């Protein structure tokens, strides 16, 4: 059964990434589902959802939303994000009660894709931007697809702390990304000057609203409090650093982009490619390539991505930073990172 297998895979991923709470909940959800319990009713109609649609995380995020909104106090007792402490037996009983009492509401919330806007992934994106600045030291037009709330469009206002006590970015930033980078040292180039920050998303989240902040927090795993702290810091940055966030699909947004003299036009994206259809992936690739073909030395174009790469179907995904720069079109793999960005390891660039 595909749904069961995908929930089991997600449980393993959560465990490997440090969320024992979600790993435990997902395994108990599998048992409940196979026995025809309440989860089978909440998830009815989603049995054939594609794996990359992250059904398990959509369900868990929907329940977490109720907890953070104060609408599931019986479960909040067991969620660290609400000041509680996880108990495998009592926590599951409380979770099951929420499924029974709020099943209809949860089924509506399941229609929304995860909107994590994970701030930790800025380590990959901004590090890649610094690597770009080594060869293209021009003002940056930063354009993002699948940008959710656009938090990472403010990546230059985050602090990237290194093990040797040094770092990049403002030291007093409310976003402190500890042990951000390892491997190849970053060259001491001037911080890129970002003159435009524009993002697109089919369902953008307003980070300046209480509703938007709740949506973003709900998709952070409740026992990963460091991620919640980073998110809250990024929301503070968003209140003072403007960005233009548009309700637009990736393909339509990309079609409107043109190179600009005296600037490097950077299209970046992180862990969103899986949510595009195959047709839209192909169209987006073609549009970006055509944009690059119009680039010149005075108006260069770059594509910077942090996405999972699976070398073969039998191998696990690994998350890579790839930078392509036009007019040469050279495409390089710069480094690898964890799904949430930290830790991020930089290597000597190699052509891919």
């Amino acid at each position: 059964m595909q749904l069961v297998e995908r929930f089991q895979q997600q449980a393993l991923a959560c465990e490997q990434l440090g969320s024992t709470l979600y790993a435990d909940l997902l395994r108990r959800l599998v048992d409940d589902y196979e026995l025809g319990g309440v989860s089978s009713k909440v998830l009815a109609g989603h049995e054939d959802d594609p794996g990359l649609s992250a059904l398990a995380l959509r369900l868990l995020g929907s329940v977490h939303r109720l907890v953070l909104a104060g609408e599931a106090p019986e479960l909040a007792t067991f969620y660290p994000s609400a000041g509680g402490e996880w108990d495998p037996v009592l926590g599951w009983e409380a979770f099951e009660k929420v499924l029974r009492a709020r099943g209809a509401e949860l089924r509506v919330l399941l229609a929304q894709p995860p909107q994590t806007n994970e701030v930790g992934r800025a380590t990959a994106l901004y590090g890649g931007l610094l690597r770009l600045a080594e060869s293209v030291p021009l003002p940056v037009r930063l354009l993002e697809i699948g940008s959710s709330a656009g938090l990472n469009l403010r990546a230059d206002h985050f602090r990237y702390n290194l093990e040797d006590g040094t770092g990049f970015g403002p030291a007093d930033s409310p976003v402190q990304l500890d042990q951000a980078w390892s491997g190849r040292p970053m060259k001491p180039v001037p911080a890129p000057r970002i003159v435009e920050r524009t993002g697109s998303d089919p369902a953008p989240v307003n980070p300046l609203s209480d509703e938007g902040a709740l949506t973003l927090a709900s998709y952070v795993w409740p026992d990963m409090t460091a991620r919640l702290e980073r998110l809250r810091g990024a929301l503070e940055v968003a209140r003072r650093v403007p960005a233009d966030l548009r309700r637009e699909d990736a393909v339509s947004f990309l079609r409107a982009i043109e190179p600009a003299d005296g600037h490097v036009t950077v299209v970046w994206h992180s862990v969103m490619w899986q949510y595009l259809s195959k047709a839209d992936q192909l169209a987006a690739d073609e549009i970006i390539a055509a944009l690059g073909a119009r680039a010149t030395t005075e108006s260069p174009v770059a594509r910077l991505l942090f996405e999972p790469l699976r070398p073969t179907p039998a191998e696990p995904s690994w998350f890579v930073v790839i930078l392509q720069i036009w007019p040469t079109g050279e495409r390089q793999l710069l480094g690898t990172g964890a799904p949430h960005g930290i830790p991020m390891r930089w290597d000597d660039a190699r052509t891919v």
Side-chain angles (χ1 to χ4, degrees):
M1 186 181 300
Q2 286 188 337
L3 186 150
V4 167
E5 291 175 358
R6 286 166 179 161
F7 273 52
Q8 289 170 333
Q9 291 169 356
Q10 186 63 63
L12 179 60
C14 289
E15 185 172 62
Q16 292 172 339
L17 290 169
S19 179
T20 55
L21 190 160
Y22 268 4
D24 187 54
L25 263 183
L26 285 167
R27 291 181 176 123
R28 292 174 184 272
L29 273 166
V30 166
D31 292 341
D32 179 78
Y33 185 87
E34 290 187 310
L35 292 172
V38 63
S39 62
S40 65
K41 299 178 178 62
V42 175
L43 295 169
H46 292 277
E47 294 84 357
D48 297 322
D49 282 14
L52 294 178
S53 70
L55 176 63
L57 297 182
R58 281 152 50 201
L59 175 61
L60 294 175
S62 298
V63 174
H64 193 198
R65 181 187 183 89
L66 298 178
V67 171
L68 294 174
E71 298 178 17
E74 69 277 26
L75 185 55
T77 302
F78 305 104
Y79 271 37
S81 56
E85 183 177 351
W86 180 243
D87 180 283
V89 176
L90 298 178
W92 165 252
E93 291 178 359
F95 188 92
E96 186 181 26
K97 288 178 182 177
V98 172
L99 294 186
R100 292 188 184 280
R102 310 296 288 272
E105 184 176 352
L106 291 171
R107 284 180 57 80
V108 173
L109 291 172
L110 279 176
Q112 177 175 293
Q115 289 278 16
T116 55
N117 211 169
E118 175 53 50
V119 177
R121 292 174 186 145
T123 57
L125 295 170
Y126 189 64
L129 199 64
L130 289 175
R131 296 286 294 273
L132 171 64
E134 293 174 9
S135 57
V136 187
L138 291 173
V140 176
R141 300 171 62 224
L142 189 54
L143 308 166
E144 183 176 34
I145 54 174
S147 53
S148 184
L151 298 183
N152 285 331
L153 285 169
R154 288 93 164 176
D156 55 323
H157 289 265
F158 303 163
R159 177 67 175 181
Y160 304 85
N161 295 311
L162 308 183
E163 287 187 348
D164 63 3
T166 63
F168 289 74
D172 61 350
S173 171
V175 179
Q176 297 286 324
L177 300 167
D178 295 329
Q179 298 182 331
W181 299 326
S182 65
R184 175 193 182 274
M186 202 69 66
K187 292 182 180 179
V189 298
R193 186 165 67 91
I194 300 177
V195 297
E196 179 182 347
R197 308 170 197 268
T198 306
S200 77
D201 196 280
V205 177
N206 180 0
L208 307 183
S209 70
D210 291 342
E211 177 70 14
L214 174 61
T215 295
L216 295 171
S218 70
Y219 288 107
V220 177
W221 303 351
D223 54 343
M224 302 189 82
T225 51
R227 288 179 61 201
L228 278 169
E229 183 178 350
R230 292 198 294 264
L231 171 63
R232 291 174 181 135
L235 292 172
E236 183 180 335
V237 170
R239 284 190 282 271
R240 53 184 172 80
V241 180
D244 181 7
L245 190 57
R246 301 174 183 176
R247 184 180 298 275
E248 195 170 11
D249 66 88
V251 173
S252 299
F253 177 75
L254 291 170
R255 283 199 179 108
I257 300 173
E258 291 292 341
D261 285 345
H263 299 78
V264 55
T265 299
V266 179
V267 175
W268 80 12
H269 54 90
S270 61
V271 196
M272 56 75 64
W273 200 248
Q274 65 200 51
Y275 299 113
L276 297 181
S277 67
K278 293 297 183 184
D280 281 351
Q281 289 178 355
L282 179 60
D285 280 337
E286 291 176 345
I287 294 167
I288 295 173
L291 173 65
R294 299 193 295 276
T296 68
T297 54
E298 291 76 27
S299 57
V301 170
R303 181 183 190 177
L304 177 60
L305 63 88
F306 179 61
E307 298 284 356
L309 174 68
R310 177 169 290 171
T312 69
E315 295 182 80
S317 295
W318 48 304
F319 287 73
V320 299
V321 178
I322 292 177
L323 174 65
Q324 188 169 12
I325 308 172
W326 290 272
T328 66
E330 184 178 21
R331 188 172 185 265
Q332 297 179 325
L333 191 153
L334 303 182
T336 59
H340 296 138
I342 301 174
M344 183 72 221
R345 178 175 178 81
W346 299 107
D347 301 311
D348 290 331
R350 56 190 173 94
T351 302
V352 292

